[in-house]
């Protein structure tokens, strides 16, 4: 737990910083309000972010659409990313075995 909690806090902070930065970039390219985009790109569940958007009087459909799209990408890209990572790891392992045999 001594290593997990600091790593989890750092990961969450980085996610918030990067998603806020990305929201500002998208906001500059489009006419969408940055406050809507920050909530739309924030890490969290669809239900929680939609309720938060409603309470803050932000664009609930926009926030929901961004989160649903994110979940679709996560579901569709998880397996290919895992397979690619596993392949690269196997190449790395094979390369390290060849170096130790010499």
């Amino acid at each position: 737990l001594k290593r997990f909690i600091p790593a989890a806090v750092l990961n969450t902070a980085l996610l918030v910083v990067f998603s806020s930065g990305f929201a500002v970039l998208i906001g500059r390219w489009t006419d969408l309000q940055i406050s809507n985009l920050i909530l739309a790109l924030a890490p969290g569940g669809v239900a929680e972010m939609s309720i938060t958007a409603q309470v803050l009087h932000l664009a609930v459909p926009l926030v929901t659409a961004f989160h649903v799209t994110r979940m679709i990408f996560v579901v569709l890209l998880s397996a290919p990313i895992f397979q690619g990572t596993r392949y690269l790891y196997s190449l790395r392992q094979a390369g390290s075995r060849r170096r130790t045999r010499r």
Side-chain angles (χ1 to χ4, degrees), residues 19-93:
S19 64
S20 297
F22 195 54
V24 169
L25 284 175
I26 292 174
R28 290 184 183 203
W29 291 336
T30 64
D31 293 333
L32 299 172
Q33 290 181 347
I34 293 176
S35 56
N36 287 326
L37 290 170
I38 288 174
L39 193 58
L41 295 172
V46 178
E48 293 83 3
M49 293 300 132
S50 298
I51 291 170
T52 305
Q54 186 175 12
V55 168
L56 296 175
H57 303 290
L58 298 175
V60 176
L62 176 79
V63 171
T64 304
F66 266 79
H67 280 275
V68 169
T69 303
R70 178 177 55 100
M71 291 310 301
I72 290 170
F73 276 108
V74 166
V75 169
L76 292 178
L77 296 177
S78 292
I81 289 173
F82 175 76
Q83 293 294 332
T85 304
R86 196 166 91 182
Y87 175 73
L88 291 174
Y89 181 75
S90 69
L91 288 178
R92 182 176 172 215
Q93 291 295 87

